[in-house]
């Protein structure tokens, strides 16, 4: 009796503290109110409503949520039922109370750790709970127990998939349908657990109702989250605040499951009046999601918003089916990737954005585009619209002037490869009769804006020598920056590419400076036995257009690097880089 009294005092104190904190937060300001009701730092509110306070709907929602959370917390903090427990039931009760503690308070300190830690903790916790569910609950049917095991396995597979994603490892499965199946597996695991509790007979009708309500709340949250994600991104937090409050119903069910583990025999039924109230609540939770999906005809349809995960995958126009092109344009029109404002606001429906997009296709200049975007309420009208976005709504117009935008990913890759091969073919070996131990000739592609040149370096050396060489190239009249295992060779003309030939010799070759504008020789070291020039990677824009050999043919040690540079009558720049072993550290200007 004394323990029950102490527990009751603790419950009253904690629930009273929640309500008092909410009232105090209303007086002290938005940040205090948020912390008092949401039990999370103010930074979480500032993430969705940066630079401004909470609006009136959000403030009202927080006050209502405080009452809801206080009532649910009163149910969560009920004292455990007395009675004997075997070893498995004791372990299950402790793990369930740990899950309750995580939902209430432990989530925040764990959230301060890497996301993979949180995912691993959840997977380990619910693996143990699901295994004990199979052993402790009296399913009274082998088929039901097997079905429960299958649903628990699907639920845990979803958690494992999330952990693999956080660890940047290959996931168990990918694709929207598979991910949806894994999510629904968690819902099915809850449903079958409640069924098992009913067949077991130890858990009260109230606990079973809490389990069914937790499933209903989950079904309610999914459509509401889709419908209101645009409003959340604009700073309206009323809906997520209420979803967070009713989400505690699941915690109520977990706590009640742990509390009633020792009870033997079927508990007494609830009073008829309370049973009618519960039926109404369950029916409301089942019907409200369906009602929420029905909108007036004039309500904006938001297929994709700036927060839609499907929009991060951007295939080429040629990879899309005709029915998918409008959705691709909506993704780009509402995208906030990189922190930039969207082309169109979320207040516009899909139909309005598509109409504005087709109007942009018919404009003659940037001024007309700016006028249309201003009329649409765009946050960036002066930026206009890019052809690679508009091609999805008017391919016949954009494709006439930019046919390359109509290609598929494979066609683009093939066109790029053909272009690089064509450019490489224009470069010739300036020393065709002097063969190196290894050599290569290719076009070297530079950044269009301000690329200082290209590196000859030891790619396995993790030092900061490449940055040092880049700093030194601007201070050298020959545009050659030297820093240990890295030499940055600059271009002398304003070009976006140049012809590069590299050759490695076992001994110093003849100087042969005739026909070159400048010839310089410097020292370079290879600590790993490799020296090479960066190549253009897949999808890259900078680097050599063909494979470059290892120029450190004598292994680790010091080498001499001779650079020949000239510009022909057509303004094309040509470089010849010669590498051979040599201990000297002198810098030579063979032809200034």
């Amino acid at each position: 009796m004394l323990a029950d009294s102490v527990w009751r005092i603790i419950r009253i104190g904690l629930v009273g503290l929640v309500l008092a904190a909410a009232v105090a937060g209303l007086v002290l300001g938005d940040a205090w109110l948020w912390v008092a009701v949401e039990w999370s730092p103010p930074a979480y509110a500032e993430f969705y409503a940066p630079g401004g306070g909470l609006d009136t709907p959000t403030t009202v929602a927080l006050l209502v949520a405080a009452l809801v959370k206080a009532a649910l917390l009163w149910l969560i903090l009920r004292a455990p039922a007395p009675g004997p427990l075997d070893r498995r039931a004791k372990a299950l009760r402790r793990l369930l109370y740990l899950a309750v503690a995580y939902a209430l308070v432990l989530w925040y300190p764990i959230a301060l750790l890497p996301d993979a830690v949180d995912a691993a903790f959840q997977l380990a916790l619910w693996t143990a709970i699901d295994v004990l569910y199979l052993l402790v609950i009296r399913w009274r049917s082998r088929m039901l127990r097997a079905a429960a095991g299958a649903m628990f396995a699907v639920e845990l597979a979803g958690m494992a998939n999330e952990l693999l994603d956080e660890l940047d490892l290959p996931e168990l499965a990918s694709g929207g349908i598979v991910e949806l199946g894994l999510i629904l597996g968690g819902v099915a695991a809850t449903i079958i657990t409640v069924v098992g509790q009913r067949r077991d007979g130890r858990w009260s009708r109230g606990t079973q109702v809490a389990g069914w309500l937790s499933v209903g709340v989950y079904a309610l949250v999914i459509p509401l989250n889709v419908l209101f994600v645009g409003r959340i991104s604009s700073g309206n937090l009323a809906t997520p605040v209420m979803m967070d409050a009713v989400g505690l119903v699941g915690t109520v069910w977990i706590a009640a499951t742990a509390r009633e583990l020792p009870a033997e025999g079927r508990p007494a039924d609830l009073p008829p009046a309370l049973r009618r109230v519960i039926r109404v609540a369950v029916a409301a939770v089942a019907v409200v999601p369906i009602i929420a999906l029905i909108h007036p005809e004039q309500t904006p349809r938001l297929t994709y918003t700036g927060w839609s995960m499907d929009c991060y995958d951007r295939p080429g126009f040629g990879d899309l089916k005709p029915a998918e092109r409008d959705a691709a344009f909506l993704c780009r029109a509402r995208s906030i990737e990189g922190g930039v404002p969207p082309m169109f606001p979320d207040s516009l429906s899909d139909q309005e954005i598509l109409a504005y997009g087709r109007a942009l296709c018919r404009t003659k200049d940037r001024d007309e585009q700016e006028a249309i975007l201003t009329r649409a309420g765009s946050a960036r009208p002066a930026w206009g619209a890019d052809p690679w976005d508009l091609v999805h709504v008017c391919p016949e117009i954009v494709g006439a002037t930019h046919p390359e935008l109509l290609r598929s990913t494979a066609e683009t890759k093939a066109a790029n490869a053909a272009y690089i091969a064509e450019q490489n073919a224009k470069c010739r070996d300036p020393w065709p009769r002097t063969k190196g131990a290894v050599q290569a000739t290719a076009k070297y592609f530079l950044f269009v804006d301000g690329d200082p040149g290209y590196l000859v370096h030891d790619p396995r050396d993790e030092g900061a020598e490449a940055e040092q060489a880049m700093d030194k190239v601007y201070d050298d009249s020959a545009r050659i920056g030297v820093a240990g295992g890295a030499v940055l060779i600059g271009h002398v003309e304003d070009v976006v590419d140049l012809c590069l030939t590299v050759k490695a010799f076992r001994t110093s070759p003849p100087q042969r400076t005739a026909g070159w504008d400048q010839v310089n020789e410097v020292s370079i070291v290879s600590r790993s036995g490799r020296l090479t020039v960066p190549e253009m990677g897949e999808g890259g824009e900078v680097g050599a257009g063909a494979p470059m050999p290892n120029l450190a043919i004598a292994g680790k040690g010091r080498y001499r690097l001779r650079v020949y540079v000239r510009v022909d009558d057509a303004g094309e720049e040509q470089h010849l880089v010669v590498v051979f072993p040599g201990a000297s550290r002198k810098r030579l200007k063979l032809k200034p």
Side-chain angles (χ1 to χ4, degrees), residues 25-355:
L26 186 62
V27 176
L28 296 175
D30 292 341
W32 287 92
L33 178 61
W34 177 270
V35 172
V37 178
E38 288 298 295
W39 309 336
S40 64
Y44 281 65
E46 294 174 359
F47 175 77
Y48 293 107
L54 302 176
D55 55 16
T56 301
T58 302
T59 302
V60 173
L62 285 170
L63 295 176
V64 175
L67 296 174
V68 174
K69 283 191 167 184
L72 296 178
L73 190 62
W74 177 262
L75 297 176
I76 292 171
L77 296 177
R78 292 175 64 186
L85 289 173
D86 60 22
R87 179 170 54 85
R88 291 174 177 173
K90 286 181 180 178
L92 178 58
R93 169 179 274 184
R94 290 167 182 166
L95 290 174
L96 288 173
Y97 277 133
L98 178 59
V100 171
Y102 174 87
L104 296 179
V105 293
L106 293 182
W107 68 269
Y108 179 67
I110 293 179
L112 299 177
L113 302 174
D115 292 340
V117 175
D118 187 10
F121 174 80
Q122 291 267 48
L123 177 61
L125 175 62
W126 284 100
T127 299
I129 289 176
D130 288 345
V131 170
L132 289 173
Y133 271 159
L134 293 174
L135 298 175
V136 173
I137 295 177
R138 296 191 287 259
W139 300 91
R140 305 187 188 281
S141 167
R142 292 183 178 179
M143 291 294 295
L144 185 62
R145 188 191 297 269
M151 292 301 99
F152 292 158
V154 174
E155 176 190 38
L156 296 175
M159 293 184 177
N161 209 47
E162 183 177 352
L163 176 59
L164 292 173
D165 180 48
E166 296 296 346
L167 294 173
D168 292 329
L169 296 175
E171 300 178 35
L172 298 177
S174 60
I177 296 178
V178 175
E179 291 179 1
L180 179 61
L182 295 176
I183 293 173
L184 294 179
V187 179
T190 301
I191 293 174
I192 203 165
T193 303
V194 177
V195 172
Q197 289 178 331
R198 180 179 178 83
R199 295 178 65 88
D200 185 299
R202 279 180 287 179
W203 283 276
S204 67
R205 188 181 297 272
T207 297
Q208 296 171 39
V209 168
W212 289 117
L213 285 175
S214 68
V215 175
V217 167
Y218 194 86
L220 178 64
V221 164
I222 294 176
L224 288 180
N225 188 49
V226 172
L227 293 171
F228 292 100
V229 66
R231 300 184 187 180
I232 294 173
S233 63
S234 62
N236 189 326
L237 298 174
T239 301
V241 165
M242 293 308 303
M243 288 193 296
D244 176 66
V246 299
L248 279 182
V249 170
T251 308
V252 171
W253 173 60
I254 295 173
T257 299
R259 183 177 62 253
E260 296 178 356
L261 269 170
E264 294 292 341
R266 188 173 182 81
D269 287 340
L270 297 172
L274 183 56
R275 290 168 62 183
R276 284 193 293 271
V277 171
I278 291 174
R279 288 194 188 101
V280 172
V282 173
V285 170
V287 173
V288 166
I290 300 174
I291 296 176
L293 294 174
I294 302 174
H295 301 279
E297 184 61 30
Q298 66 271 20
T299 301
R301 294 187 177 90
L302 303 177
T303 306
Y304 295 95
T305 71
W307 295 74
S308 299
M309 294 303 296
D310 292 342
C311 290
Y312 287 96
D313 182 20
R314 295 191 174 184
F317 174 85
D319 297 321
L320 296 171
K321 298 177 182 178
E324 299 172 333
R325 294 170 185 171
D326 285 352
F329 178 73
L330 292 172
C331 280
R332 287 159 172 76
R334 293 195 178 108
S335 173
I336 55 174
E337 189 175 355
V340 301
M343 187 188 307
F344 294 103
D346 280 343
S347 58
L348 295 181
S349 67
D350 293 350
Q351 295 85 345
E352 290 174 304
I353 290 179
L354 292 172

